[in-house]
Structure formats: structure tokens, C-alpha cells
Amino acid sequence: MPQLEVDGARLTYDDEGPRDGAGAPLVFIHGWTANRHRWDHQLAHFSATRRVIRVDLRGHGESDGSGRRSIGELAGDVLAVLDHLKAERFVPVGHSMGGMIAQTLALGHPDRIERMVLVNSISRMTYSRGRGLLMAVSTRVPFKLFVAANIQRAFAPGYPREEIKEYIRTSAATPREVVMTCYGAMRSFDVLDRVGEIRVPTLVIHGYYDIQLPVSQMLRMAKAYPDAEVRILDAGHELPVEKPEELTSTIDRFLTERP
């Protein structure tokens, strides 16, 4: 597995698919407490015809390092990997916190973005009442219980419990300092008043049953985009694993059918 050292951390990434494939490289960015394998279905599909890059964020998956205190710093890590790989123009595809990173890249480096895909993400972090209560007690409950409560809420009703337990186990393996620092970075994230500057075609995909980042918050964001296409699927917050085939086909149509 290739790694790149960035500011004292070894970031693990994958770089697959033909360099001369159709379109700019796709850059898949996972969310909080997840890892690059959230995108296994998308990697397998898209790397047959175009270059695909995915990264384990600092402190997540097979990357080490302490947590970043802002979404901008996380975006800087991703950009360092892309610069190393000489991926000048690209299509960021971000899930949840990864979507926040994607928007930050689009605002900071508009000339490098061909188009963008946001999956279960928003532009201003506003907690639902339940999420706010969970955060309020986060320092008073055992860490694994805090993570389990967050991940359990991320899936739509009826999703297999044994599979949820596996995602809880994976998330709980993320160091506590990384989990809480990144949570703070998301909490302070707010670019809602600036997304009108992002003029590339943008696909916004959301789960109808997402209670972590509700549909109403996503629609507020999408309304502010000059060129946004919205798709709502029958899922919760974890679209990449709840509905991988539908997510892949929706992204594929956006990439091939939009001019």
C-alpha cells in the first residue's frame, strides 16, 4: 500500500485505473471515523475506465497521525497527496466530513475542480436535537459507547444489525483524540455563505433517512449552489455501504450525461 508522509503523518492512499482514461481523476474522500474502503464498490467500478484516487485521512484507517483541528487542514492533507501524484485537475467525491473537505478544496482551488459530488454532506454544521444531546454527554460516557451511539444512528431502519456492529468496531478503532478533534473540526465548519462561488456542476446525493445530517439541511445547501443536481435515495447517512450500487450508478450518470 503506498504511503506519503505529510506533516509528520503517513497517509495511505490508492491510485488505480488508467492515466489516460476518460475525464479527470476521481478523488474519493471518506467521512468521520471511516476509511477509504467505504468506496470499494466505486473503486472497482470506475477504475476500469478512469483514474481513481482514495485516501485514508490522517488518523483513520491505515494512516497514522493525530487529528486535524479544521476541515481546511484535512483538505491540505488531501491536496498534498494529489500534488504528489501530479493530479492537477480532479473530481472530488466526498462523504459527510469528506464532503466538507471537497467543498473546501473547491473554494480554495477552483481551477483544479472539474466537477464535484457531495454524499450525505452539508455546508454548515447544525446539529439535530438528538445529535446535540449526544455531543453534550460525549465527555461523560465511555468512548466506545459514544462512537456506537453515533454509528448506530447513521443507518436507515432495517439495516442488518450484524453489519452495523462491524462498522461500529471499525470506527471505535480510530484513536479517541482523532475522533474528537475531527468532530470539533466539523462543528466549526461553515461555508454556506460561500458555496455560491462554486460554479462547477455539483451532484448532491443524500439519504432520505439521514438523521445525522438531515435532508432539510442538505436542501438549504443545495439551494445555494449555482449548478447543483439533487438526488435523494432510500437510505440513511451511510450511502456508500447502504446502497453502493445505486450510489455508483447515480455518480456514473452524472459524470457521463452532464455536459
Side-chain angles (χ1 to χ4, degrees):
M1 59 184 182
Q3 292 183 317
L4 177 69
E5 185 164 337
V6 179
D7 292 342
R10 288 172 299 175
L11 303 182
T12 301
Y13 63 88
D14 296 311
D15 181 9
E16 301 188 15
R19 298 298 183 271
D20 56 351
L26 301 179
V27 179
F28 287 94
I29 311 169
H30 67 76
W32 177 75
T33 77
N35 58 59
R36 70 190 194 281
H37 292 291
R38 280 290 203 276
W39 304 109
D40 281 351
H41 190 276
Q42 291 73 38
L43 176 71
H45 175 82
F46 289 110
S47 63
T49 57
R50 65 195 296 164
R51 188 180 186 185
V52 177
I53 299 166
R54 60 179 184 174
V55 183
D56 275 342
L57 297 173
R58 179 179 297 257
H60 292 73
E62 295 177 282
S63 293
D64 60 20
S66 57
R68 291 297 208 182
R69 298 191 176 277
S70 72
I71 298 299
E73 290 178 331
L74 289 166
D77 285 345
V78 174
L79 198 64
V81 174
L82 297 178
D83 287 345
H84 172 71
L85 297 176
K86 296 180 171 53
E88 184 61 29
R89 280 180 64 80
F90 56 92
V91 178
V93 184
H95 173 242
S96 191
M97 185 176 76
M100 299 176 187
I101 293 170
Q103 292 174 84
T104 301
L105 290 169
L107 286 167
H109 305 274
D111 57 319
R112 298 183 65 172
I113 309 298
E114 183 177 273
R115 56 184 63 206
M116 183 167 63
V117 180
L118 304 177
V119 183
N120 291 103
S121 195
I122 55 177
S123 296
R124 173 181 291 163
M125 192 65 172
T126 305
Y127 293 128
S128 64
R129 183 177 181 181
R131 197 83 182 274
L133 289 172
L134 192 59
M135 276 304 297
V137 302
S138 63
T139 59
R140 299 183 179 88
V141 299
F143 173 65
K144 289 186 177 180
L145 179 60
F146 167 71
V147 172
N150 268 283
I151 303 305
Q152 180 70 47
R153 286 164 47 89
F155 291 84
Y159 195 78
R161 295 179 62 86
E162 288 305 311
E163 292 189 32
I164 294 176
K165 287 180 182 178
E166 180 59 26
Y167 288 114
I168 290 173
R169 184 195 66 77
T170 301
S171 293
T174 310
R176 180 187 183 112
E177 184 272 339
V178 172
V179 170
M180 302 311 295
T181 303
C182 287
Y183 216 127
M186 288 192 293
R187 187 170 188 173
S188 62
F189 179 73
D190 184 359
V191 296
L192 185 61
D193 294 335
R194 293 192 60 203
V195 295
E197 302 170 24
I198 301 175
R199 300 192 173 276
V200 297
T202 300
L203 174 62
V204 181
I205 317 175
H206 220 79
Y208 179 80
Y209 295 101
D210 189 345
I211 61 174
Q212 303 283 58
L213 305 178
V215 170
S216 59
Q217 294 183 28
M218 176 276 291
L219 291 174
R220 185 181 182 191
M221 172 189 72
K223 184 179 178 181
Y225 268 86
D227 187 7
E229 175 183 331
V230 177
R231 292 288 181 268
I232 299 177
L233 304 185
D234 184 17
H237 184 68
E238 289 291 346
L239 260 174
V241 294
E242 291 182 71
K243 299 286 184 178
E245 295 87 359
E246 286 187 47
L247 177 59
T248 298
S249 63
T250 303
I251 296 172
D252 205 357
R253 285 195 298 272
F254 172 70
L255 295 173
T256 57
E257 295 177 5
R258 283 292 301 270

